[in-house]
């Protein structure tokens, strides 16, 4: 098949928008006689006028040949999907060898290490908009599958038959939902949308760790709220995380969304990504709060901190045992601490006690992040939040003075 080629200048962008170290790596591969391109999300986001966060590279060189060319800076990784990691300064570029996936049958892919041609490599990619190649030497975008047309029309469409592609690798369905949430104004092509409904249950055949990784990537993506909204509407949340049922009932749905909107807002204003335990807490805290309110209502008296700790423990236990993917122990343990600390930061019965020993706990900062999140949802908490932030800063100054 002859691909269509478009000059990069057509999109008002140039190679200066591409990471110079990624360009160097591609040109180095080309000088060594291999075919090499920038591929995937980097090209897609560049053409959409965004600032790509990473640039992946695809080449005809085999992993060992890549290693030989780049030497110590290059590490070969992965079993299911063998690829090279190239370290330049503090960045890592993924360099993958052209692969031939069998794209016509729906057999589940267990390993994907059959090398292929440039065209075959395009055909095994998930969506047309992710299957464009950028050649930095000719400054052209190479399109075998109509990805340019879909970028212009803002359409999400699988490369090849959507049912077969989802059956081969069900995680592609979560990826579709992720792009739907992330790419503003995009719609899903009707056959792809129908296949998503038909193949939904297949998600339970995928590797739980890969699903969890996509979920956490979305929790920190600043688009967690639209992502979970879609995951719920399309029935994936019920299949994968049935315990987050507050998303499903009309009365509590808005509250669950508000916590995720707060998470997105915090990630937009923060220079750092919140710990995964706090990302999990954004999903769990509203459920815990509701359980506490119910208990208080039933007994006419608020539960003690020990009772709250027990509630949190059994809630997290229920979540981890009913979910398709297992949350790491560390994430669950820190999430529990941050949840329970909330009721010391903002006690239910008594006035706040500003004992500064509490602020020296290593998990205090995590708890403070969760309180920031809560203050985004409930503005009445802003004053108590600033009291704790001041207390924390005072302690930090004291620690610094002590160190000098
Ligand atoms: P992001 O912006 O989240 O990094 P991305 O599209 O670059 O999005 P990556 O996970 O970095 O996603 O993957 C790089 C490229 O590899 C994709 O653009 C796509 O071409 C291909 N790819 C990734 N996952 C799959 C998959 N499950 N099936 C087929 N192709 C895939
Ligand atoms: Mg990427």
């Amino acid at each position: 098949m002859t691909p269509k080629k478009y000059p990069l200048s057509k999109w008002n962008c140039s190679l200066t928008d591409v990471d110079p170290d990624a360009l160097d790596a591609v040109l180095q591969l080309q000088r060594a006689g291999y075919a090499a391109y920038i591929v995937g999300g980097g090209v897609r986001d560049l053409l959409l006028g965004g600032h790509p966060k990473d640039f992946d590279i695809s080449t005809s060189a085999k992993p060992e040949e890549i290693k030989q060319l780049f030497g110590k800076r290059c590490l070969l990784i992965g079993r299911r999907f063998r690829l090279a990691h190239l370290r330049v300064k503090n960045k890592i570029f993924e360099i993958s060898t052209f692969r031939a996936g069998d794209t016509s049958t729906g057999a589940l892919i267990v390993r994907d290490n059959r090398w292929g041609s440039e065209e075959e490599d395009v055909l095994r990619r998930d969506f047309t908009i992710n299957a464009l190649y950028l050649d930095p030497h000719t400054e052209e975008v190479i399109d075998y599958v109509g990805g340019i047309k879909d970028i212009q029309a803002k359409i999400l469409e699988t490369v090849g038959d959507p049912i077969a592609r989802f059956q081969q690798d069900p995680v592609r369905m979560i990826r579709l939902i992720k792009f739907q949430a992330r790419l503003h104004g995009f719609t899903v092509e009707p056959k792809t949308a129908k296949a998503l409904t038909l193949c939904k249950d297949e998600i339970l055949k995928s590797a739980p760790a890969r699903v969890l990784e996509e979920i956490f990537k979305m929790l920190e993506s600043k688009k967690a709220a639209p992502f979970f909204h879609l995951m719920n509407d399309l029935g994936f949340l019920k299949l994968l995380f049935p315990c987050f049922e507050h998303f499903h009932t009309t009365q509590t749905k808005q509250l669950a969304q508000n916590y995720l909107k707060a998470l997105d807002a915090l990630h937009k204003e923060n220079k750092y990504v919140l710990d995964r335990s706090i990302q999990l807490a954004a999903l769990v805290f509203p459920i815990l709060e509701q359980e506490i309110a119910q208990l208080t209502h039933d007994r006419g008296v608020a539960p003690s901190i020990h009772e709250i700790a027990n509630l949190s423990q059994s809630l997290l236990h229920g979540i981890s045992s009913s979910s398709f993917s297992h949350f790491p122990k560390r994430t669950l343990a820190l999430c529990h601490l941050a949840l329970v600390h909330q009721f010391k930061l903002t006690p239910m019965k008594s006035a706040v006690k500003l004992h500064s020993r509490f602020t020296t706990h290593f998990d205090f900062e995590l708890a403070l992040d969760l309180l920031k999140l809560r203050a985004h949802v409930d503005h009445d908490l802003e004053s108590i939040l600033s009291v704790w932030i001041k207390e924390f800063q005072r302690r930090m100054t004291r620690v610094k003075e002590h160190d000098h």
Side-chain angles (χ1 to χ4, degrees):
M1 196 201 294
T2 341
K4 290 207 169 95
K5 294 188 180 178
Y6 303 84
L8 188 59
S9 54
K10 198 168 171 257
W11 281 272
N12 281 340
C13 46
S14 72
L15 290 184
T16 52
D17 300 308
V18 181
D19 189 307
D21 294 315
L23 288 181
D24 263 2
V26 173
L27 294 171
Q28 206 173 328
L29 280 159
Q30 291 185 347
R31 277 197 299 270
Y34 302 108
Y37 304 99
I38 305 272
V39 293
V43 183
R44 176 196 69 220
D45 294 344
L46 195 67
L47 300 184
L48 285 171
H51 299 283
K53 61 179 173 55
D54 57 9
F55 291 95
D56 297 321
I57 295 165
S58 196
T59 176
S60 60
K62 309 281 183 308
E64 289 69 25
E65 294 168 331
I66 305 171
K67 170 90 188 150
Q68 203 165 23
L69 187 67
F70 293 104
K72 269 207 296 238
R73 294 189 290 147
C74 177
L75 196 70
L76 300 186
I77 62 150
R79 243 159 44 96
R80 180 188 175 277
F81 197 94
R82 194 156 168 74
L83 52 82
H85 268 181
L86 177 67
R87 195 166 33 83
V88 189
K89 295 162 198 158
N90 56 352
K91 293 170 287 190
I92 304 264
F93 297 107
E94 274 186 14
I95 308 183
S96 58
T97 305
F98 293 155
R99 281 170 164 74
D102 187 354
T103 48
S104 54
T105 77
L108 196 70
I109 300 174
V110 190
R111 266 189 207 178
D112 194 358
N113 285 326
R114 206 154 54 81
W115 311 138
S117 67
E118 174 179 322
E119 186 181 343
E120 284 171 312
D121 190 64
V122 169
L123 297 179
R124 62 105 191 153
R125 290 184 182 270
D126 50 6
F127 302 102
T128 57
I129 61 164
N130 286 345
L132 295 165
Y133 283 11
L134 171 63
D135 183 343
H137 181 65
T138 61
E139 301 196 20
E140 280 175 328
V141 178
I142 302 167
D143 182 8
Y144 284 88
V145 290
I148 289 290
K149 165 181 72 53
D150 285 346
I151 284 210
Q152 285 165 338
K154 294 193 187 291
I155 288 175
L156 284 164
E157 177 175 11
T158 53
V159 174
D161 174 49
I163 294 186
R165 303 310 310 283
F166 288 155
Q167 284 172 338
Q168 283 168 355
D169 180 3
V171 175
R172 288 174 186 148
M173 296 190 279
I174 308 284
R175 288 177 56 83
L176 175 68
I177 298 171
K178 137 174 146 171
F179 294 123
Q180 228 183 316
R182 257 176 37 183
L183 303 176
H184 186 71
F186 269 73
T187 53
V188 182
E189 175 274 332
K191 266 197 196 154
T192 302
K194 190 158 178 234
L196 187 76
T197 317
L198 286 172
C199 302
K200 194 167 65 187
D201 292 346
E202 304 268 324
I203 194 64
L204 300 175
K205 291 187 189 158
S206 59
R210 286 183 64 213
V211 171
L212 192 64
E213 200 47 40
E214 291 290 353
I215 300 287
F216 273 123
K217 264 168 77 181
M218 284 315 288
L219 281 169
E220 66 187 54
S221 71
K222 306 181 183 100
K223 296 280 182 200
F227 174 73
F228 273 82
H229 182 79
L230 285 167
M231 286 284 285
N232 183 34
D233 269 10
L234 295 164
F236 282 83
L237 211 53
K238 212 167 207 150
L239 280 171
L240 297 170
F241 303 100
C243 42
F244 294 139
E245 62 196 13
H246 59 317
F247 279 97
H248 320 197
T249 45
T250 26
Q251 305 98 303
T252 44
K253 200 177 192 168
Q254 193 52 50
L255 188 67
Q257 270 289 307
N258 288 347
Y259 274 86
L260 291 177
K261 282 182 187 159
L263 188 68
D264 291 339
L266 263 188
H267 277 134
K268 279 180 202 152
E269 56 191 59
N270 276 355
K271 305 241 171 345
Y272 62 98
V273 173
L274 294 177
D275 190 85
R276 288 189 166 186
S277 58
I278 303 305
Q279 298 176 21
L280 176 61
L283 295 165
V284 180
F285 186 79
I287 312 179
L288 179 64
E289 213 177 20
Q290 209 186 1
E291 287 192 1
I292 291 172
Q294 186 64 48
L295 191 69
T296 311
H297 176 263
D298 292 349
R299 296 193 324 195
V301 50
S304 69
I305 197 82
H306 295 291
E307 286 172 312
I308 290 174
N310 286 340
L311 276 179
S312 156
Q313 204 65 277
S314 65
L315 181 59
L316 286 171
H317 178 74
I319 288 170
S320 60
S321 53
S322 62
S323 295
F324 173 66
S325 309
H326 292 295
F327 293 94
K329 279 207 180 80
R330 175 194 173 274
T331 309
L332 286 169
L334 291 179
C335 179
H336 169 69
L337 285 175
L339 288 171
V340 178
H341 283 344
Q342 297 312 304
F343 300 88
K344 296 181 194 159
L345 294 172
T346 57
M348 299 185 67
K349 295 191 255 192
S350 51
V352 175
K353 285 196 208 103
L354 279 184
H355 41 90
S356 65
R357 237 184 346 160
F358 176 34
T359 61
T360 61
H361 288 195
F362 83 101
D363 41 76
F364 176 80
E365 273 182 80
L366 289 182
L368 200 59
D369 275 338
L370 182 52
L371 182 57
K372 284 182 195 159
L373 191 93
R374 291 171 57 209
H376 264 278
V377 178
D378 176 359
H379 297 298
D380 288 349
L381 294 172
E382 276 166 9
S383 52
I384 184 71
L385 171 66
S386 64
V387 170
W388 279 114
I389 290 177
K390 272 198 204 109
E391 189 64 24
F392 178 62
Q393 285 164 344
R394 199 173 321 152
R395 173 212 136 196
M396 293 306 280
T397 333
R398 246 183 284 141
V399 170
K400 268 191 211 139
E401 281 166 4
H402 187 261
D403 286 351
H404 278 294

